Amino acid sequence: EPEVTQTPSHQVTQMGQEVILRCVPISNHLYFYWYRQILGQKVEFLVSFYNNEISEKSEIFDDQFSVERPDGSNFTLKIRSTKLEDSAMYFCARDGLGNSPLHFGNGTRLTVT
Amino acid sequence: QKEVEQNSGPLSVPEGAIASLNCTYSDRGSQSFFWYRQYSGKSPELIMFIYSNGDKEDGRFTAQLNKASQYVSLLIRDSQPSDSATYLCAVKEAAGNKLTFGGGTRVLVKP
């Protein structure tokens, strides 16, 4: 049973549309991440979010992406104008401070048509 | 560009045998090393983590770390068909908390 729940499990959208992926931690953690995995490729870091601010982001995380924790519970990843190449599994993860391991949510499969 | 390299496999092992997986990394300052198991279409599931040189055992799994050689490995003893999955090596950079993943090694355990 993952300690991070992601919704939806599968999202299909048309190119150019906005999508919002959601992550709900079961317990109250401060450090969150978004990773993505394009089919058949490596798991890639997108962004880390600590204490309601972006802590670090990758080159992938351009102006089309944004993250929020609007109500202090849900943690969201927004893609403003989706492209075909945004099709991937998106994973939310929690913890990871210092040497502690990351624990991943169940993922959202995003399909852009 | 920090790299984590793994043999993509597939690594085919008979049931009951030992599976040996290897991983090398480029960032000499890395301090934390993780092995995740990933079934097809699922999220990575933490198996083990290791910080110090040497061996760390947890059940049927043993992680081995050699920082001088920038090498980390995972041994799976008494392999079971349910161990068939892709095993991801991940390294935490010396600075920051993000993980860099290898491409994974696909393991097939044949009954």
Side-chain angles (χ1 to χ4, degrees):
Chain A
E1 187 72 31
E3 294 183 40
V4 176
T5 301
Q6 291 186 241
T7 58
S9 57
H10 190 190
Q11 173 90 44
V12 181
T13 189
Q14 288 190 327
M15 194 167 52
Q17 295 296 305
E18 174 183 285
V19 294
I20 296 176
L21 311 182
R22 290 184 171 80
C23 170
V24 182
I26 293 177
S27 53
N28 191 22
H29 293 280
L30 294 176
Y31 221 127
F32 300 97
Y33 306 77
W34 283 102
Y35 285 76
R36 80 171 185 188
Q37 186 177 30
I38 295 170
L39 185 64
Q41 297 189 22
K42 293 183 180 184
V43 176
E44 301 174 290
F45 168 77
L46 292 178
V47 65
S48 59
F49 192 80
Y50 176 68
N51 208 20
N52 296 323
E53 291 184 350
I54 289 177
S55 175
E56 192 175 359
K57 60 183 181 179
S58 71
E59 293 176 352
I60 303 169
F61 195 86
D62 60 21
D63 292 343
Q64 293 298 312
F65 292 88
S66 62
V67 288
E68 280 189 326
R69 199 174 183 198
D71 56 7
S73 176
N74 290 340
F75 177 49
T76 63
L77 175 69
K78 182 191 294 185
I79 309 175
R80 290 188 181 82
S81 178
T82 50
K83 308 182 186 76
L84 293 176
E85 54 264 36
D86 292 328
S87 295
M89 284 288 288
Y90 287 81
F91 299 111
C92 175
R94 66 146 181 99
D95 265 356
L97 280 176
N99 286 333
S100 65
L102 264 64
H103 296 275
F104 288 85
N106 46 334
T108 293
R109 178 176 298 282
L110 176 64
T111 303
V112 182
T113 62
Chain B
Q1 181 77 6
K2 299 177 175 67
E3 298 287 342
V4 178
E5 299 292 338
Q6 297 181 254
N7 188 321
S8 62
L11 175 66
S12 184
V13 295
E15 185 175 357
I18 296 175
S20 178
L21 291 75
N22 304 317
C23 171
T24 58
Y25 58 95
S26 63
D27 183 7
R28 184 169 289 278
S30 298
Q31 297 296 320
S32 312
F33 308 87
F34 306 87
W35 284 99
Y36 287 86
R37 177 174 63 197
Q38 186 177 36
Y39 294 111
S40 181
K42 302 296 184 183
S43 61
E45 174 193 6
L46 180 71
I47 295 177
M48 290 199 68
F49 54 91
I50 186 167
Y51 312 134
S52 304
N53 278 328
D55 295 1
K56 179 182 178 183
E57 186 174 318
D58 185 359
R60 296 186 294 112
F61 300 98
T62 299
Q64 300 172 316
L65 175 61
N66 184 326
K67 290 184 180 179
S69 301
Q70 295 175 242
Y71 175 93
V72 58
S73 65
L74 180 71
L75 300 177
I76 308 173
R77 288 182 301 280
D78 188 23
S79 296
Q80 302 297 310
S82 58
D83 294 328
S84 297
T86 297
Y87 289 80
L88 308 177
C89 173
V91 177
K92 187 173 287 188
E93 298 179 355
N97 285 299
K98 70 181 186 187
L99 292 183
T100 300
F101 281 82
T105 298
R106 193 157 71 97
V107 172
L108 297 174
V109 181
K110 297 186 175 180

